[in-house]
Amino acid sequence: MDELLHRGPQRAPQPLIERLAAGLPAEALISDPDVMASYANDMASFCPAGLPAVVVLPRTVEQVQHIMRTATELRVPVVPQGARTGLSGAANASDGCIVLSLVKMDRILEISPVDRIAVVEPGVVNAALSRAAGEHGLYYPPDPSSWESCTIGGNIGTASGGLCCVKYGVTAEYVLGLDVVLADGRLLTTGRRTAKGVAGYDLTRLFVGSEGSLGIVVKAVLALRPKPPGQLVLAAEFDSAADACAAVCAIMERGHTPSLLELMDRTTLRAVNALAGMGLPERTEALLLTAFDTAEPAADLAAVGELCAAAGASEIVPADTAAESELLLQARRMSLTALEAVKSATMIDDVCVPRSRLGAMLDGTAAIADKYGLTIGVCAHAGDGNTHPVVCFDHADPDESRRARESFDEIMALGLELGGTITGEHGVGVLKKEWLARELGPVGMELQQGIKQVFDPLGLLNPGKLF
């Protein structure tokens, strides 16, 4: 399917640009090749990307409709983009396409404390929405690691998660309704802004995680929650990943509801220390971070501390203040950045397994690292079973690059063998489309491709992604 990323423009670029210019302001069109090259790809490795014919940055729904009508008339593929912080190649351009960047549609249209909803455009940055909701005593829970730069539209496209998912869930659980421009330029409204609603098929959930392959999201109605109290964090050190995973299972089995339950392995801890000098314990094999945002978090942390001790924790350190808690969380948030500094390139996996198989996933990943002679650090949303093995390699070394790709595939195979899924929150994009077929099976693939055909019969929306 890579040829869909490199199939070339279907018509000469100039007529395309002229047609687009008829309905767009001059500043919304970019045709300089050097500037367009900066829009060619997201943050994933090993994902092909082409050079677009034009980049468009609309500000209104009507402008998006004009773009899609033009694309349909001229049979030009369209690649939707947000902030390009994705890790699967889902936002990568194809040769001769229209890159439709939605970052200029960045207005928060409404926040309703009574209905507990926000209505936003797709270019709104996740952190900006969180802060705006906080001013009303409300909370938008999904918080990807890139929350200071990633956009709501991108979060919807890849069904993003974050650190707080163990208690509050992922993006899909907060999208109540959408306005979507279809491939032919028609505007579709799905879902609701009410607390309940079950009319017809749930098309809203269909668009969440569709990676721009079914339509262009131009507005979202999002559920908000009351802002919780500040959380306190406990750090527990373990001499083995298996013991740390046993503690995770015990915490969940006893019915605790932490607001965060994260794991960092030894490789990750060393990388964070090397990058930021945070003084994290490097001799421990796994560091487990647990947080509660309940009315009495200290009592909850004490109970979890006992479970960690019973599982074999060598050191248990509860934070006494919000500042201490934030310092520990900052270490977790910089994990991916720190691992990226280990070598010149990384492949960031996103395999989710049942919590009961988390220990097997970490042990298996360590064995794969040894087999290929590579540095593979693991940070994980342990409470969800969502692991992020990060393969560090030298992209200028062909043999090391080959081993990195092979190890990446073995990690995904391991996840499926353990009853998991190839992606918990980063999406499929280009990177994992071959693995999607393995997970879904032939019947599942046939039905999903049929859905794609209904929404995008000409195959213009984000070609070469997912399938």
Side-chain angles (χ1 to χ4, degrees):
M1 297 290 282
D2 287 348
E3 68 272 11
L4 293 177
L5 296 173
H6 297 284
R7 64 182 182 178
Q10 301 301 292
R11 297 287 180 90
Q14 198 56 40
L16 168 64
I17 293 172
E18 290 174 355
R19 292 283 293 275
L20 290 171
L24 295 173
E27 65 271 15
L29 283 163
I30 298 174
S31 57
D32 181 282
D34 292 333
V35 179
M36 289 195 296
S38 68
Y39 288 84
N41 53 272
D42 63 16
M43 298 178 68
S45 300
F46 291 108
C47 293
L51 182 66
V54 64
V55 175
V56 291
L57 295 98
R59 290 183 179 271
T60 69
V61 174
E62 292 75 19
Q63 289 174 5
V64 176
Q65 290 182 283
H66 168 69
I67 292 163
M68 293 311 306
R69 291 188 189 109
T70 301
T72 294
E73 290 168 7
L74 298 180
R75 303 298 194 264
V76 179
V78 176
V79 175
Q81 288 185 351
R84 303 192 308 282
T85 58
L87 295 164
S88 68
N92 283 14
S94 55
D95 281 334
C97 76
I98 299 170
V99 162
L100 201 171
S101 173
L102 296 154
V103 295
K104 299 295 185 182
M105 297 180 69
D106 59 356
R107 294 180 299 162
I108 298 174
L109 302 172
E110 179 187 355
I111 293 179
S112 171
V114 173
D115 294 325
R116 293 183 181 174
I117 61 169
V119 183
V120 305
E121 292 182 327
V124 171
V125 171
N126 184 294
L129 173 59
S130 296
R131 295 184 183 111
E135 294 175 2
H136 297 269
L138 298 171
Y139 175 46
Y140 181 67
D143 62 341
S145 295
S146 57
W147 77 302
E148 290 283 4
S149 55
C150 65
T151 62
I152 295 298
N155 294 168
I156 292 170
T158 58
S160 298
L163 302 186
C164 69
C165 294
V166 62
K167 180 175 182 177
Y168 293 105
V170 296
T171 295
E173 296 167 65
Y174 293 87
V175 183
L176 299 178
L178 297 169
D179 279 5
V180 182
V181 175
L182 301 177
D184 59 9
R186 289 178 296 164
L187 183 64
L188 169 69
T189 297
T190 75
R192 65 196 194 279
R193 55 180 291 147
T194 54
K196 297 191 296 183
V198 294
Y201 295 126
D202 191 350
L203 296 182
T204 303
R205 287 294 283 263
L206 187 61
F207 282 102
V208 180
S210 67
E211 301 182 13
S213 65
L214 302 179
I216 311 298
V217 172
V218 290
K219 186 170 74 175
V221 180
L222 305 174
L224 302 175
R225 292 194 174 208
K227 189 174 181 180
Q231 61 184 358
L232 287 180
V233 177
L234 174 143
E237 301 175 28
F238 292 87
D239 294 331
S240 74
D243 287 346
C245 293
V248 171
C249 292
I251 291 166
M252 302 308 293
E253 184 180 15
R254 295 295 181 88
H256 292 287
T257 54
S259 54
L260 174 146
L261 187 53
E262 298 288 307
L263 183 146
M264 302 163 67
D265 74 353
R266 184 179 182 181
T267 300
T268 304
L269 294 170
R270 288 182 170 183
V272 171
N273 279 344
L275 180 68
M278 297 192 71
L280 297 173
E282 293 191 357
R283 282 187 282 186
T284 187
E285 288 299 322
L287 181 70
L288 192 65
L289 300 178
T290 309
F292 285 89
D293 58 6
T294 53
E296 297 292 338
D300 292 310
L301 289 180
V304 165
E306 292 177 4
L307 294 175
C308 288
S314 57
E315 188 78 22
I316 299 171
V317 182
D320 294 322
T321 65
E324 291 178 5
S325 296
E326 183 54 36
L327 186 63
L328 289 169
L329 296 184
Q330 186 61 34
R332 170 60 184 89
R333 290 192 187 103
M334 68 171 57
S335 294
L336 298 183
T337 302
L339 288 166
E340 287 170 354
V342 172
K343 288 267 189 167
S344 61
T346 57
M347 293 189 73
I348 303 173
D349 219 324
D350 171 36
V351 176
C352 191
V353 297
R355 296 185 192 102
S356 58
R357 309 308 304 276
L358 184 60
M361 184 68 203
L362 267 65
D363 287 344
T365 300
I368 291 169
D370 289 341
K371 173 182 175 180
Y372 286 96
L374 294 168
T375 297
I376 302 179
V378 180
C379 51
H381 308 307
D384 302 326
N386 192 175
T387 67
H388 293 311
V390 181
V391 183
C392 306
F393 65 99
D394 181 357
H395 69 86
D397 183 332
D399 181 67
E400 192 161 288
S401 295
R402 174 191 59 79
R403 286 184 281 127
R405 181 68 214 218
E406 290 178 5
S407 70
F408 184 89
D409 287 343
E410 283 205 22
I411 290 168
M412 284 193 287
L414 173 63
L416 291 180
E417 290 169 10
L418 294 173
T421 175
I422 60 169
T423 176
E425 57 186 6
H426 292 171
V428 175
V430 178
L431 190 62
K432 297 187 175 184
K433 61 185 182 180
E434 294 177 5
W435 286 92
L436 179 66
R438 301 192 196 190
E439 179 170 334
L440 296 182
V443 175
M445 284 292 289
E446 179 184 348
L447 290 173
Q448 296 220 7
Q449 289 169 336
I451 292 170
K452 165 74 169 173
Q453 178 69 20
V454 168
F455 281 89
D456 182 23
L458 297 177
L460 299 178
L461 285 168
N462 217 5
K465 317 297 169 50
L466 288 171
F467 310 119

